[in-house]
């Protein structure tokens, strides 16, 4: 229980609003896009500044409250909302300043990637973020950040040059290549494990229009398309990013599509994309010249807020014929027409040339990331859809490595977190021991500090 007087003190301290159950805005603030997550924080603090965040951390410590940190709210695992406790909501912190001469952007953590892209594109610049415009830049970047520019420019976190972080003891630290280097290493992949990031500085790159869109094939052709996808992926330059998978079009046609974005010289792009556009041939070709901002909202209509979402995702060990057969067998079989399952992202180029130990994010060596992204509307269909996802995953698991990209998965518990951080896990524990030894920040794919690890507790 938090006393009324404590709440009044918090309200008087913060510039942003403080909300409790029953107040206007409380339900909207606790609601995130994944309708599977229905949690009720005791208090929601809509922070306006880093000072507000510091005050919230101190308040939560003083009152022994669980803390959840919300950026864009797109965690499929629902890590940004807690039951009871304090939800530190950063979603109204939307400042951004582009420096076109230095080609950098200083951004606040409440921005969505669509808002960030619109501002940087006003200067003809961009950096890698994700592919759905409503996703928050903070959770996406701190966990990884795969998107249309990753092969040319690296993941979103590879473009991060400096962050301000409020740590568990309520200090604001700057972390970059010359200050608090261990913290800077950890936040690039460790997401919210080490503190609350209140400001992010990114490197930007020149970005004109792109040749992008998708080609569509019938779902029944999944195996042929996957074979083509594998062979085509071996030939493509860093300027091209491709992904493919099974979904249902808004007019109810099950398809297996290949989406593409070419970001190099346009005449060269026509040539590079020619085999993709000729293969099949496709039943529809929607690849066209478009602005980068337009591309970044291309997938938005497929991911409206309020659907129920359950995701499994791991990297593919080797995309051999058996793996292709298993993936194709699952295409078009989801019980929901809103699912993107199975779906395969191709990871290559700059993002995969970064050494594994350079940042906490370890997944630099695998070419294909497989997802079962199950979405449905009716809560009564949860069991059917989760059951399908789990059964399909069992059939696919012989072809997958243990580690997954944490940003994509529903909650899988401690062993999963360990596998997701791979060979960087022990170094992350050392960073956790230094900056958050009591595990104050644990609403994330959690790295437990040494003293809370099972072996330490049982000793
Ligand atoms: C529809 C959809 C599309 C997606 N597309 C992509 C994609 O193309 N590429 C990709 O790489 N990922 C993608 N993702 C995954 C996405 O990267 C993660 O869900 C990411 O965590 C979302 O960030 P957020 O700020 O919106 O989420 P939130 O739910 O607000 O936060 C996610 C996690 O990050 C932590 N966090 C958020 N902000 C901060 C902060 N300022 N400081 C410290 N910790 C913080 C939260 O506490 C939480 O643990 C997608 C997800 C969805 C639902």
């Amino acid at each position: 229980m938090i006393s009324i007087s404590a709440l009044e003190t918090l309200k008087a301290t913060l510039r942003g609003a403080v909300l409790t159950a029953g107040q206007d805005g409380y339900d909207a603030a606790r609601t995130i896009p994944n309708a599977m997550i229905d949690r009720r924080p005791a208090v929601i603090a809509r922070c306006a500044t880093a000072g507000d965040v510091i005050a919230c951390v101190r308040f939560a410590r003083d009152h022994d409250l669980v803390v959840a940190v919300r950026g864009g709210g797109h965690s499929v695992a629902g890590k940004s909302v807690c039951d009871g406790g304090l939800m530190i909501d950063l979603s109204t912190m939307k400042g951004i300043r582009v420096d076109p001469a230095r080609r950098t952007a200083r951004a606040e953590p409440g921005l969505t990637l669509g808002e960030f892209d619109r501002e940087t594109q006003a200067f003809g610049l961009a950096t890698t973020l994700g592919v759905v415009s409503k996703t928050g830049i903070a959770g996406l970047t701190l966990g990884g950040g795969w998107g249309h520019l990753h092969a040319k420019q690296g993941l979103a976190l590879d473009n991060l040059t400096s962050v301000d972080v409020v740590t568990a003891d309520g200090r604001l630290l700057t972390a970059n290549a010359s200050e608090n280097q261990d913290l800077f290493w950890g936040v690039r992949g460790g997401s919210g494990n080490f503190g609350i990031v209140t400001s992010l500085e990114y490197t930007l790159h020149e970005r004109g229009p792109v040749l992008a869109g998708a080609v569509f094939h019938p779902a029944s052709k999944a195996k042929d398309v996957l074979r083509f996808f594998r062979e085509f992926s071996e030939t493509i330059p860093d300027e091209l990013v491709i992904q493919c998978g099974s979904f249902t079009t808004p007019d109810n046609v099950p398809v297996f599509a290949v989406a593409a974005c070419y970001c190099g010289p346009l005449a060269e792009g026509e040539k590079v994309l020619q085999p993709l556009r000729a293969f099949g041939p496709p039943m529809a070709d929607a690849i066209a010249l478009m602005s980068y901002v337009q591309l970044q909202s291309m997938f938005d209509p497929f991911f409206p807020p309020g659907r129920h979402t359950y995701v499994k995702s791991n990297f593919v060990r080797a995309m051999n014929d058996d793996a292709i057969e298993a993936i194709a067998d699952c295409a078009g079989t989801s019980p929901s027409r809103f699912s993107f399952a199975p779906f395969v992202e191709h990871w290559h180029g700059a993002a995969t040339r970064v050494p594994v130990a350079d940042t906490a994010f370890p997944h630099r060596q695998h070419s294909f990331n497989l997802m079962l992204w199950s979405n449905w509307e009716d809560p009564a269909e949860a069991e059917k859809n989760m059951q399908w996802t789990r059964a399909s995953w069992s059939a696919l698991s012989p072809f997958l490595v243990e580690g997954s990209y944490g940003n994509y998965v529903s909650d899988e518990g401690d062993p999963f977190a360990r596998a997701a951080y791979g060979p960087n896990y022990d170094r992350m524990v050392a960073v956790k021991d230094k900056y958050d030894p009591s595990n104050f920040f644990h609403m994330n794919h959690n790295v437990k500090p040494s003293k809370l690890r099972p072996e330490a507790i049982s000793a």
Side-chain angles (χ1 to χ4, degrees):
M1 286 296 285
I2 308 163
S3 69
I4 291 173
S5 70
L7 269 180
E8 289 307 320
T9 307
L10 183 67
K11 278 183 192 165
T13 310
L14 301 193
R15 270 183 57 199
V18 173
L19 303 170
T20 50
Q23 273 185 280
D24 271 1
Y26 171 84
D27 282 327
R30 73 177 183 83
T31 303
I32 60 170
N34 184 359
M36 297 264 280
I37 310 298
D38 180 17
R39 300 197 187 123
R40 288 160 202 279
V43 188
I44 300 176
R46 307 207 86 180
C47 293
T49 62
D52 280 2
V53 176
I54 291 170
C56 284
V57 166
R58 291 183 179 155
F59 181 83
R61 289 206 84 95
D62 291 348
H63 295 87
D64 203 15
L65 299 175
V66 169
V67 158
V69 179
R70 176 185 173 142
H74 272 61
S75 158
V76 284
K79 298 291 186 184
S80 37
V81 202
C82 45
D83 259 330
L86 174 64
M87 178 180 179
I88 300 181
D89 180 0
L90 311 174
S91 63
T92 58
M93 291 176 65
K94 288 188 183 288
I96 176 166
R97 184 173 189 279
V98 175
D99 181 338
R102 287 177 60 228
R103 292 196 183 160
T104 58
R106 179 53 86 166
E108 287 193 318
L111 287 163
T112 64
L113 69 87
E115 291 162 342
F116 182 101
D117 287 337
R118 271 200 297 282
E119 188 65 17
T120 57
Q121 276 283 274
F123 300 86
L125 301 168
T127 200
T128 311
L129 290 167
V131 306
V132 173
S133 78
K134 303 284 186 267
T135 317
I137 61 162
L140 178 125
T141 302
L142 302 174
W146 181 95
H148 292 120
L149 303 179
H150 84 276
K152 185 73 183 160
Q153 260 111 43
L155 299 173
L157 60 76
D158 297 324
N159 289 281
L160 208 52
T161 50
S162 189
V163 285
D164 291 343
V165 188
V166 176
T167 47
D169 53 6
R171 287 180 300 157
L172 181 77
L173 300 179
T174 293
N176 54 38
S178 53
E179 288 175 82
N180 299 305
Q181 291 100 328
D182 51 358
L183 182 58
F184 189 49
W185 178 86
V187 297
R188 287 175 296 158
S191 200
N193 264 291
F194 310 111
I196 304 177
V197 172
T198 55
S199 175
L200 307 93
E201 186 183 68
Y202 294 86
T203 297
L204 303 175
H205 313 268
E206 272 184 33
R207 180 71 276 124
V210 289
L211 203 47
V215 290
F216 299 85
H217 297 268
S220 58
K221 294 280 183 201
K223 198 190 298 180
D224 296 341
V225 180
L226 276 162
R227 284 210 178 107
F228 167 81
F229 185 81
R230 171 183 64 190
E231 274 132 43
F232 185 54
S233 71
E234 284 163 13
T235 69
I236 61 176
D238 292 357
E239 285 76 10
L240 181 58
V241 166
I242 52 174
Q243 50 187 319
C244 72
S246 173
F247 62 97
T248 306
T249 62
D251 50 347
N252 223 2
V253 181
V255 293
F256 201 88
V258 183
C261 168
Y262 179 84
C263 68
L266 299 179
E268 183 61 21
E270 295 284 0
K271 280 191 230 154
V272 170
L273 285 166
Q274 197 278 334
L276 172 65
R277 303 178 83 172
F279 173 76
M283 57 198 252
D285 177 346
I287 292 178
L289 189 63
M290 61 181 78
S291 76
Y292 182 67
V293 167
Q294 199 182 347
L295 165 70
Q296 288 291 80
S297 53
M298 185 172 79
F299 287 106
D300 286 8
F302 295 99
F303 296 95
R307 285 188 181 154
H308 298 246
T309 299
Y310 182 66
V311 181
K312 286 195 171 279
S313 171
N314 273 45
F315 291 91
V316 179
R317 184 172 292 117
M319 191 60 95
N320 54 31
D321 287 347
D322 290 343
I324 285 183
E325 181 113 17
I327 298 168
D329 280 351
C330 148
T333 66
S334 163
S336 168
R337 68 191 178 93
F338 301 119
S339 292
F340 271 60
F343 220 80
V344 180
E345 289 171 346
H346 180 230
W347 291 47
H348 75 126
T352 55
R353 289 194 285 265
V354 177
V356 168
D358 272 19
T359 66
F361 184 85
H363 304 295
R364 304 292 188 172
Q365 66 282 52
H366 302 293
S367 305
F368 300 100
N369 190 21
L370 177 69
M371 296 170 240
L372 297 180
W373 199 289
S374 292
N375 298 313
W376 62 97
E377 285 190 330
D378 183 351
E381 291 181 357
E383 194 49 45
K384 183 169 66 175
N385 279 281
M386 289 171 73
Q387 172 56 30
W388 176 86
T389 313
R390 290 187 184 124
S392 305
W393 202 245
S394 298
L396 292 163
S397 5
F399 306 102
L400 306 173
V401 300
E402 211 185 323
S404 21
Y405 172 26
N407 266 2
Y408 283 173
V409 286
S410 296
D411 204 353
E412 308 274 358
D414 286 351
F416 157 81
R418 199 176 182 124
Y421 299 126
N424 289 332
Y425 187 81
D426 288 343
R427 192 167 160 196
M428 293 175 82
V429 172
V431 181
K432 187 80 173 170
D433 285 349
K434 180 168 169 189
Y435 292 98
D436 185 17
S438 68
N439 210 13
F440 179 73
F441 298 113
H442 60 267
M443 289 288 294
N444 41 50
H445 295 306
N446 193 224
V447 176
K448 280 204 166 54
S450 303
K451 70 178 184 198
L452 297 183
R453 288 168 76 176
E455 52 275 27
I457 289 167
S458 59

